[in-house]
Amino acid sequence: MTGHPTTAPPRARRSRIGPEREAELYAAVMDLLREVGYDALTMEAVATRTRCSKATLYRQWAGKPELVATALRHQKPVTLDRIDTGSLRGDFNCLVDQLDDHRMAEDTALLRGLAHAVHTHPDLLDALRRLLVDPELTGLGALLARAVERGEVHPDTPALAFVSHLMLGALITHPLIEGTPADAAFLRRYIDSALLPALGV
Amino acid sequence: MTGHPTTAPPRARRSRIGPEREAELYAAVMDLLREVGYDALTMEAVATRTRCSKATLYRQWAGKPELVATALRHQKPVTLDRIDTGSLRGDFNCLVDQLDDHRMAEDTALLRGLAHAVHTHPDLLDALRRLLVDPELTGLGALLARAVERGEVHPDTPALAFVSHLMLGALITHPLIEGTPADAAFLRRYIDSALLPALGV
């Protein structure tokens, strides 16, 4: 970023892989994840499928956990930091608009596999938290801070500390209670009936 | 129940296994579940460990999914239907009082394994819903109905339809967001800050 290309560590250089090639690589990682799961996915298989050398892969990503976490971040259907509709309800609904029911069912299966894998792979949990969860929590914090600034939510509202639990909880518990993945219609009802009332909106 | 012992189907007869023996069997099933997981657990192993014939096991339970679901129901730390403190906040806190932090961490690991197993064993999902989830939802419904009757919660409160998602969500999302199993202190804060405000209490 501060521009010392000759002294930068190799991993910071992106000269070998352009954005299009990167997107191809991430798509291949997602395909392999769906096909064989995290445990059976190898850097070797990614290299073979993408006709990329393993050396190039390791130059760009520290290892399998980072490659998988970055691929997930690249493919994720929702980007919180571009949402700013002017109202909290609008922001939450914009978030749901970005979700695709079919894609969501597919992702649920993928995330379930990863949720299982993190318990035997602490390095995967670490990479996912660092590259995927923490940026989302930061984005959510900014969205809520704007609602407080606008005067929509009182700054002392206790539920502000639990919005990530409330949102993620709706996605995860629906398959357990209703037996099917959460869909956009359910999430809209949940936002209006439970999430916004908890925030006093 | 209506008492025709001579015509009752064999599975309804409990004559061969008394309540103490049943408790022993359930404890052995839970031990095996923790040791080897659902996939590797066999009726054979339960029979061997409890010195019980497989015929006796199958006479009492239709199969492995029912035996596991019934063992879980028997061992579960919280019994909703005995809770009636006279206030909704009291009822929810009484529920948390019944939880034991160490036990909860242990159960989280066990439930995680089962949550994974249900996706490849629809018969297990069916047995868990029938024997474990549905009775809990009924108990929760009764608890909420009493709060409405007492006038604590307005009968039209939209969040009433989402209390099970809100409660289960707190338990499941804590390990994902904070990296540790939910404990009683977190649940008390969540109940006061998010659950009760959503219900307008």
Side-chain angles (χ1 to χ4, degrees):
Chain A
M1 287 289 181
T2 48
H4 293 285
T6 50
T7 54
R11 206 163 291 134
R13 271 195 266 145
R14 298 254 154 178
S15 53
R16 294 295 188 95
I17 301 188
E20 267 180 54
R21 184 77 177 120
E22 226 178 299
E24 264 175 50
L25 278 164
Y26 293 145
V29 172
M30 297 299 286
D31 285 344
L32 278 167
L33 261 186
R34 290 200 175 87
E35 288 165 30
V36 303
Y38 182 79
D39 271 311
L41 183 144
T42 60
M43 293 295 262
E44 187 93 42
V46 176
T48 306
R49 183 165 299 197
T50 57
R51 287 180 203 155
C52 187
S53 77
K54 271 171 71 178
T56 305
L57 291 181
Y58 279 108
R59 201 158 38 228
Q60 195 95 353
W61 298 278
K64 182 168 117 171
E66 284 77 14
L67 178 56
V68 167
T70 318
L72 279 162
R73 186 176 59 182
H74 191 265
Q75 304 283 326
K76 79 180 159 57
V78 171
T79 317
L80 265 172
D81 49 323
R82 273 183 237 148
I83 296 179
D84 188 4
T85 64
S87 83
L88 188 59
R89 185 168 186 270
D91 284 357
F92 283 141
N93 276 309
C94 180
L95 217 155
V96 176
D97 285 339
Q98 292 187 33
L99 298 170
D100 167 311
D101 285 353
H102 174 71
R103 172 86 184 267
M104 197 142 56
E106 228 177 38
D107 286 352
T108 303
L110 186 75
L111 290 175
R112 193 170 59 229
L114 286 171
H116 195 69
V118 295
H119 298 288
T120 38
H121 301 283
D123 53 352
L124 174 65
L125 179 61
D126 177 63
L128 289 175
R129 290 175 66 91
R130 200 158 29 85
L131 297 168
L132 210 63
V133 179
D134 290 351
E136 285 309 302
L137 293 180
T138 306
L140 183 62
L143 188 151
L144 294 170
R146 287 195 306 268
V148 170
E149 272 166 41
R150 284 190 302 260
E152 274 190 276
V153 179
H154 192 279
D156 297 333
T157 308
L160 278 171
F162 300 95
V163 174
S164 54
H165 301 88
L166 290 167
M167 286 178 56
L168 190 59
L171 283 171
I172 301 187
T173 57
H174 195 275
L176 296 172
I177 294 170
E178 276 87 1
T180 53
D183 57 25
F186 165 79
L187 291 173
R188 281 183 219 287
R189 283 200 309 279
Y190 178 85
I191 287 168
D192 282 338
S193 308
L195 184 56
L196 291 174
L199 290 165
V201 178
Chain B
M1 285 292 180
T2 48
H4 294 284
T6 51
T7 56
R11 205 163 289 134
R13 271 197 265 143
R14 298 255 153 176
S15 54
R16 294 296 187 94
I17 300 185
E20 268 180 52
R21 184 77 176 118
E22 227 178 298
E24 262 175 53
L25 278 163
Y26 293 146
V29 172
M30 297 298 287
D31 285 345
L32 278 167
L33 261 186
R34 290 200 176 88
E35 287 165 30
V36 303
Y38 183 79
D39 271 312
L41 184 144
T42 60
M43 293 295 262
E44 188 93 41
V46 176
T48 306
R49 184 165 296 196
T50 57
R51 285 179 205 157
C52 186
S53 77
K54 270 171 72 180
T56 306
L57 292 181
Y58 279 107
R59 200 159 37 232
Q60 195 95 353
W61 298 278
K64 181 168 117 171
E66 285 76 13
L67 178 55
V68 166
T70 317
L72 279 163
R73 185 176 60 184
H74 192 265
Q75 303 283 327
K76 78 181 159 55
V78 171
T79 316
L80 265 171
D81 48 325
R82 272 183 237 146
I83 296 180
D84 189 3
T85 63
S87 83
L88 188 59
R89 185 169 187 269
D91 284 359
F92 283 141
N93 276 309
C94 179
L95 217 156
V96 176
D97 284 339
Q98 291 185 35
L99 298 168
D100 167 310
D101 285 351
H102 174 71
R103 172 84 184 267
M104 196 140 59
E106 228 178 39
D107 285 351
T108 302
L110 185 75
L111 290 175
R112 194 170 58 229
L114 286 171
H116 195 68
V118 294
H119 298 287
T120 38
H121 301 283
D123 54 350
L124 174 65
L125 179 61
D126 176 64
L128 288 176
R129 291 175 65 88
R130 201 158 27 86
L131 298 168
L132 209 63
V133 179
D134 290 349
E136 285 309 301
L137 294 181
T138 306
L140 183 62
L143 188 152
L144 293 170
R146 287 197 304 269
V148 170
E149 272 166 42
R150 284 190 303 259
E152 275 190 276
V153 179
H154 191 279
D156 297 333
T157 308
L160 278 171
F162 300 96
V163 174
S164 53
H165 300 89
L166 290 168
M167 285 177 57
L168 191 58
L171 282 171
I172 301 186
T173 56
H174 196 277
L176 296 173
I177 294 170
E178 275 87 1
T180 52
D183 56 26
F186 165 79
L187 291 173
R188 282 184 216 288
R189 282 199 310 277
Y190 178 86
I191 288 168
D192 283 337
S193 308
L195 184 55
L196 292 174
L199 289 166
V201 178

